[in-house]
């Protein structure tokens, strides 16, 4: 099994910054895509940013230019640097990863970390 543990959420004022981290542990062979999603109250879970093992990154239009996804493959960790935060960024942020072990490939979610941006 694989576990994803997020950290770094919290309360910040509009215009501020936060850095989220997501560390993968367990039965890990290789990690492919790692992504961040978010879900605001009453809304669906939406993709925020993606990082592939080949170095490709992609962002939702609403965060492009403000958020940066990065990863440390040696630490099996993905980060999300969030700048110029607005109240519309308030949500639970989830880490997602595709992990291949010796015998299968699985898709895993973290437990989520709350980000609240006050106006």
């Amino acid at each position: 099994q694989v576990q994803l543990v997020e950290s770094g959420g919290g309360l910040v004022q509009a215009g501020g910054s936060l850095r989220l981290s997501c560390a993968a542990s367990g039965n890990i062979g290789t990690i492919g895509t790692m992504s961040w999603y978010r879900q605001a109250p009453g809304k669906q879970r939406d993709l925020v940013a993606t990082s592939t093992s080949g170095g490709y990154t992609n962002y939702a239009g609403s965060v492009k230019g403000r958020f940066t996804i990065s990863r440390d493959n040696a630490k099996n960790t993905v980060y999300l640097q969030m700048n110029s935060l607005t109240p519309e960024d308030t949500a639970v942020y989830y880490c997602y990863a595709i992990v291949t072990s010796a015998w299968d490939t699985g898709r895993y979610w973290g437990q989520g970390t709350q980000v609240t941006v006050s106006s």
Side-chain angles (χ1 to χ4, degrees):
Q1 272 292 355
V2 173
Q3 298 79 41
L4 302 180
V5 178
E6 300 111 332
S7 60
L11 174 64
V12 64
Q13 288 188 332
S17 299
L18 283 174
R19 188 193 194 207
L20 305 182
S21 299
C22 171
S25 63
N27 190 13
I28 298 172
T30 59
I31 303 179
T33 297
M34 301 187 83
S35 303
W36 288 96
Y37 287 74
R38 68 185 181 186
Q39 187 168 20
K43 296 188 176 181
Q44 66 181 19
R45 188 175 297 187
D46 291 327
L47 178 65
V48 175
T50 291
S51 171
T52 70
S53 57
Y56 171 80
T57 59
N58 193 35
Y59 298 90
S62 60
V63 307
K64 197 170 295 186
R66 300 188 298 122
F67 290 11
T68 301
I69 189 170
S70 61
R71 57 197 286 174
D72 184 334
N73 291 325
K75 296 181 179 180
N76 293 329
T77 299
V78 64
Y79 306 96
L80 186 68
Q81 178 67 43
M82 305 185 294
N83 299 328
S84 302
L85 285 161
T86 73
E88 288 68 38
D89 295 315
T90 295
V92 178
Y93 284 70
Y94 296 91
C95 177
Y96 168 85
I98 300 175
V99 180
T100 299
S101 67
W103 50 83
D104 69 357
T105 296
R107 290 159 172 76
Y108 300 92
W109 290 93
Q111 81 286 354
T113 186
Q114 176 70 46
V115 172
T116 303
V117 184
S118 63
S119 57

